[in-house]
């Protein structure tokens, strides 16, 4: 242990000292081994200084000159415990002085509710795109969970250390009691709660934190994993640390979208500086106090981050990943993104013209048709977990209940994928060694699962009913047209999701046929067949990183959809 580490640990120990009603100081909670070690280290250091002190300048003042006890605490605080940002943190600002990154190199970052993804695109000669979905699970040390995706989780332990990704999950599970890890971090953006204070349920320290701090901390880790992967597995391309990056944006209300986009641009720029600054500490437990000091120091002056290019909405990222950009399209498409925390719906008019003048792409969200529901992948995980516990007879009063539920939470996604695989079943081995078998048919028969399926269908119909009737009439006016259902997200292959893209749907008294967009685009099949498994989850970042993206026209009403407009072939659908 060195003096800097000891200062940080003791600073957190000091923060836990509280004054009681009797005016006396008390320490809340237990003293951790690290805190005890820091105390012993400082005592040893002070003892050594006393031995080495000159007789003419004694290390300890005479008793009559000793200050009161309360002043003694303050003196120790000033000399040992309190850490100044200038002493502890030296910012690595080198990314801001690098030459401008080549425009042909781009990464699109998709900050997900449960998992985060990133795709790299390099523009080669003759419009050839080099595409690489970054294996962040490897650089994030969680490839046993998923090689290509990063767990979106943050945990603050009792010693004031920040943990990220799967390390956050493991650290939270290893502690006895205490605070919880912070999942669903992305909700702070969608619920506009960045300025809200993180409660003691998640923050056991005396440092006041907002959810903006937590989002920035996670984006720092997210950025660090990208840097690590580009430096190791893609070192031959020599991608600079100030590589151009875009980022995915959910469909927020327009009043909030620009403000949140500007905020994310700043946070992502700051995340690069912090990822460089803490490149050695971030994956080993990042001291919260150091992180806070670095953020304060970083914000002492206004900075610009030109390598953060722009945002792209999630539906348009998906649409951009489906297109080959070699043919024209004109369609009405309902994008259904079944993620972990929410299932999001949005109806788009997509118009792409490819001719001798180049490529013109536009898309507009149909007014009043962006909607989300809380039933999603995590909802099914909870249903499956409850079903497993019920079938095995495990209750909260069972021995090893905590171990059993933790093991299930860790592996439930794999059990769910097995359930929806061609085997149509899952064999679960509990922590105790007991086995539980569940078939797909019995899972789909669960009342809660049926309610989820009904909720998806009702939401789809409700969205079409919310749109102006002219949109539905436009689809029904030509026999060849279909309402294209674009399924994406981790739940795109679920049976209840696929049913949304089958048969017909009726809205405003008009029945139209629906068709599913291809689950894996033809243009990717030849050169990137290996992406098929991950495609539904990485479609947003893949489309967002490409050279050509779809321009947003904002919100569209019923005007401009009839009366002699240019009509092109339909959006590419499954089987076409």
């Amino acid at each position: 242990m060195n003096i800097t580490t000891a200062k940080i640990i003791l600073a957190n120990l000091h923060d836990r000292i509280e004054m009681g009603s009797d005016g006396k100081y008390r320490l809340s909670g237990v003293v951790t081994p690290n805190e005890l070690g820091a105390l012993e280290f400082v005592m040893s250091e002070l003892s050594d200084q006393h031995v080495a002190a000159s007789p003419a300048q004694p290390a300890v003042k005479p008793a009559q000159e000793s200050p009161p006890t309360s002043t003694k605490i303050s003196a120790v605080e000033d000399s040992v415990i309190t850490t100044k940002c200038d002493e502890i943190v030296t910012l690595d600002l080198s990314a801001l002085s690098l030459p401008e990154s080549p425009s042909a190199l781009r990464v699109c970052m998709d900050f997900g509710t449960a998992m985060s993804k990133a795709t790299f695109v390099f523009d080669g000669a003759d419009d050839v795109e080099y595409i690489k979905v970054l294996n962040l699970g490897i650089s994030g040390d969680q490839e046993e969970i998923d090689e290509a995706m990063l767990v979106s989780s943050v945990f603050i332990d009792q010693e004031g250390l920040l943990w990220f990704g799967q390390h956050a999950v493991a650290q939270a599970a290893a502690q006895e009691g205490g605070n919880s890890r912070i999942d669903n971090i992305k909700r702070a953006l969608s619920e506009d709660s960045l300025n809200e204070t993180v409660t003691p349920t998640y923050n056991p320290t005396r440092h006041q934190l907002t959810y903006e701090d937590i989002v920035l901390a996670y984006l720092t880790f997210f950025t660090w994993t990208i840097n690590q992967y580009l430096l190791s597995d893609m070192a031959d391309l020599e991608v600079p640390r100030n590589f151009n990056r875009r980022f995915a944006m959910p469909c927020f209300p327009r009043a909030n979208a620009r403000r949140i986009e500007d905020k994310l641009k700043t946070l992502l720029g700051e995340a690069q500086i912090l990822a460089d600054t803490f490149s050695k500490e971030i994956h080993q437990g990042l001291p919260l106090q150091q992180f806070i000091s670095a953020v304060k120091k970083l914000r002492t002056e206004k900075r610009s981050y030109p390598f953060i290019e722009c945002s792209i909405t999630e539906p348009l990222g998906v649409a951009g990943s489906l297109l080959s950009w070699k043919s024209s399209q004109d369609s009405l498409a309902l994008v259904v993104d079944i993620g972990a925390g929410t299932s999001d719906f949005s109806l788009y008019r997509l118009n792409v013209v490819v001719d001798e003048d180049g490529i013109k792409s536009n898309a507009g969200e149909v007014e009043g048709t962006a909607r989300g529901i809380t039933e999603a992948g995590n909802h099914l995980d909870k249903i499956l977990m409850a079903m497993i516990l019920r079938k095995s007879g495990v209750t909260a009063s069972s021995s090893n209940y905590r171990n059993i539920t933790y093991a299930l939470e860790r592996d439930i996604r794999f059990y769910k994928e097995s359930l929806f695989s061609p085997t149509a079943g899952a064999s679960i081995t509990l922590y105790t060694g007991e086995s539980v078998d569940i078939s797909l048919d019995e899972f789909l028969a669960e009342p809660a699962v049926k309610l989820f399926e009904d909720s998806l269908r009702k939401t789809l119909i409700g969205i079409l009913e919310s749109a102006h009737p002219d949109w539905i009439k436009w689809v029904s006016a030509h026999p060849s047209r279909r309402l294209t259902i674009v399924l994406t997200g981790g739940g795109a292959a679920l049976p209840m999701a696929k049913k949304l893209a089958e048969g017909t749907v009726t809205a405003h008294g008009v029945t139209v046929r629906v068709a599913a967009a291809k689950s894996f685009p033809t243009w990717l099949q030849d050169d990137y067949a290996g992406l098929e498994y991950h495609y539904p989850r990485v479609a947003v970042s893949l489309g967002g990183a490409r050279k050509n993206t779809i321009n947003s026209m904002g919100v569209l009403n019923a005007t401009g959809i009839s009366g002699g407009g240019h009509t092109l072939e339909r959006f590419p659908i499954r089987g076409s």
Side-chain angles (χ1 to χ4, degrees):
M1 183 176 295
N2 56 43
I3 189 64
T4 298
T5 302
K7 284 182 179 181
I8 294 165
I9 294 173
L10 290 179
N12 189 64
L13 177 67
H14 175 261
D15 284 343
R16 294 198 286 116
I17 297 174
E18 299 177 349
M19 179 184 289
S21 58
D22 57 1
K24 295 181 179 180
Y25 291 97
R26 292 179 175 82
L27 180 65
S28 61
V30 299
V31 176
T32 68
N34 279 357
E35 289 169 342
L36 184 60
L39 281 169
E40 292 172 346
F41 174 80
V42 171
M43 290 171 64
S44 174
E45 287 289 302
L46 291 175
S47 175
D48 291 343
Q49 290 176 21
H50 172 70
V51 171
S54 166
Q57 306 213 341
V60 180
K61 293 182 179 180
Q64 64 269 22
E65 297 181 15
S66 296
T69 302
S70 59
T71 309
K72 273 188 175 180
I73 293 174
S74 177
V76 173
E77 176 184 333
D78 289 340
S79 63
V80 179
I81 295 177
T82 300
T83 55
K84 299 178 181 179
C85 61
D86 288 341
E87 294 178 286
I88 301 304
V89 179
T90 301
L91 294 176
D92 184 344
L93 300 170
S94 57
L96 300 181
S97 58
L98 293 173
E100 183 178 350
S101 177
S103 61
L105 303 175
R106 286 177 307 280
V107 170
C108 183
M109 304 169 67
D110 182 7
F111 174 24
T113 303
M115 295 282 192
S116 297
K117 294 79 64 178
T119 300
F120 171 88
V121 172
F122 168 60
D123 301 331
D126 300 323
D127 291 328
V128 174
E129 293 178 303
Y130 173 83
I131 298 171
K132 175 65 178 178
V133 173
L134 303 184
N135 286 335
L136 303 184
I138 295 177
S139 52
D141 193 23
Q142 54 158 70
E143 56 266 39
E144 76 282 3
I145 303 298
D146 196 292
E147 286 191 351
M149 295 188 288
L150 201 64
V151 173
S152 300
S153 187
V154 175
F155 179 68
I156 307 170
D157 70 16
Q158 299 288 334
E159 296 176 5
L161 297 178
L162 285 161
W163 300 91
F164 304 99
Q166 188 59 17
H167 280 195
V169 176
Q171 290 291 329
Q175 73 167 3
E176 292 294 332
N179 57 300
S180 302
R181 70 177 188 264
I182 308 172
D183 296 325
N184 298 328
I185 308 166
K186 187 179 175 182
R187 283 190 177 179
L189 299 172
S190 58
E191 296 175 359
D192 201 15
S193 59
L194 288 176
N195 293 325
E196 291 185 8
T197 300
V198 179
T199 65
T201 302
Y202 306 105
N203 177 18
T205 76
R206 295 286 295 278
H207 298 293
Q208 187 171 352
L209 296 172
T210 65
Y211 279 96
E212 180 178 322
D213 298 322
I214 299 301
V215 169
L216 176 56
Y218 180 76
L219 292 178
T220 298
F221 172 65
F222 188 9
T223 300
W224 178 84
T225 60
I226 294 173
N227 289 337
Q228 293 299 304
Y229 192 79
L230 292 176
L231 285 170
S232 56
D233 285 50
M234 302 180 66
D236 55 320
L237 286 177
E238 298 183 350
V239 181
R241 283 179 294 114
N242 64 334
F243 56 86
N244 300 307
R245 64 205 79 178
R246 301 168 182 168
F247 57 97
M249 279 269 289
C251 292
F252 297 120
R254 291 185 65 78
N256 297 337
R258 178 54 62 87
R259 176 169 51 82
I260 294 174
E261 180 185 26
D262 290 342
K263 172 62 69 175
L264 276 173
K265 280 184 176 181
T266 299
L267 292 177
L268 285 166
E270 292 175 338
Q272 179 62 58
I273 304 305
L274 295 170
D276 291 338
T277 300
F278 296 116
S279 61
K280 293 182 173 61
E281 299 95 334
I282 195 167
H283 211 29
Q284 307 300 323
L286 173 61
L288 177 60
Q289 184 166 350
Q290 279 198 6
F291 176 77
I292 293 172
S293 297
V295 174
K296 288 180 180 178
K297 192 171 184 180
L298 182 59
R299 292 176 175 174
T300 54
E301 59 182 271
K302 188 175 178 61
R303 305 179 194 277
S304 62
Y305 305 99
F307 48 87
I308 309 296
E309 287 189 345
C310 61
S311 70
I312 184 164
T313 63
E314 291 173 356
L316 295 189
V318 173
S321 72
L322 286 165
L323 298 174
S324 67
W325 297 107
K326 294 180 180 178
S327 60
S328 300
Q329 312 288 343
D330 190 13
S331 68
L332 190 65
L334 180 63
V335 180
V336 183
D337 182 1
I338 302 180
T342 60
S343 296
D344 298 308
F345 296 70
S346 47
L347 186 64
Y348 273 82
R349 168 77 184 280
L350 177 66
N351 190 298
V352 178
V353 178
V354 180
D355 56 24
E356 62 275 6
D357 295 326
I359 299 173
K360 303 178 186 69
S361 66
N362 291 287
E365 179 187 305
V366 177
E367 186 177 25
T369 63
R371 196 169 305 175
I373 58 175
T374 55
E375 293 96 332
N378 288 349
H379 183 65
L380 290 181
D381 291 350
K382 292 175 182 177
I383 296 172
L384 178 57
M385 186 165 171
M387 189 176 182
I388 294 169
L389 294 175
R390 187 180 72 240
K391 289 195 69 173
S392 63
V394 175
T395 66
S397 60
S398 301
S399 60
N400 291 317
Y401 176 76
R402 178 182 173 85
N403 302 87
I404 293 170
T405 53
Y406 167 68
L408 281 177
E409 286 175 350
R410 181 192 61 205
D411 299 330
I412 197 69
R413 178 169 167 260
F414 297 103
Y415 294 140
K416 184 178 68 177
E417 288 184 353
S418 177
L419 196 62
F420 291 109
S421 70
T423 61
S427 181
I428 299 99
T429 301
L430 301 182
Y431 174 83
T432 56
E434 179 184 355
S435 294
V436 179
D437 293 325
I438 294 179
S439 71
L440 179 59
D441 287 341
E442 65 178 319
F443 180 71
L444 295 178
E446 284 283 290
V449 176
K450 287 185 172 294
L451 286 174
F452 175 48
E453 182 176 335
D454 291 343
S455 181
L456 290 176
R457 187 71 181 180
K458 288 177 182 177
T459 303
L460 184 150
I461 294 173
I463 284 173
L464 297 180
E465 291 284 358
S466 298
H468 192 284
D470 285 354
W471 292 107
I472 309 303
K473 293 175 183 177
W474 181 80
V475 176
S476 64
H478 296 277
S480 62
R481 284 184 185 154
R482 305 284 190 277
L483 171 63
T484 304
I485 307 296
V486 183
L487 299 172
T488 187
L494 294 172
M496 60 283 292
K498 291 181 176 180
K499 283 186 179 180
L500 299 176
E502 297 173 354
T504 62
V505 63
T506 301
H508 298 294
V510 178
T511 300
V512 295
R513 286 178 290 179
V514 299
K518 290 183 177 180
S519 58
F520 189 55
T522 303
W523 75 274
L524 283 172
Q525 289 175 354
D526 293 337
D527 296 327
Y528 298 100
L531 291 181
E532 184 167 5
Y533 172 75
H534 282 298
Y535 174 74
R537 298 178 179 87
V538 303
V540 172
S541 64
L542 196 159
R546 299 181 71 190
K547 180 179 181 179
N548 294 309
T549 57
I550 300 171
N551 300 314
S552 175
M553 294 187 292
V555 176
L556 302 179
N557 55 31
T559 60
I561 61 172
S562 59
H566 184 65
T567 301
L568 307 171
E569 63 180 287
R570 65 184 182 275
F571 200 77
I573 62 175
R574 183 173 293 162
S576 65

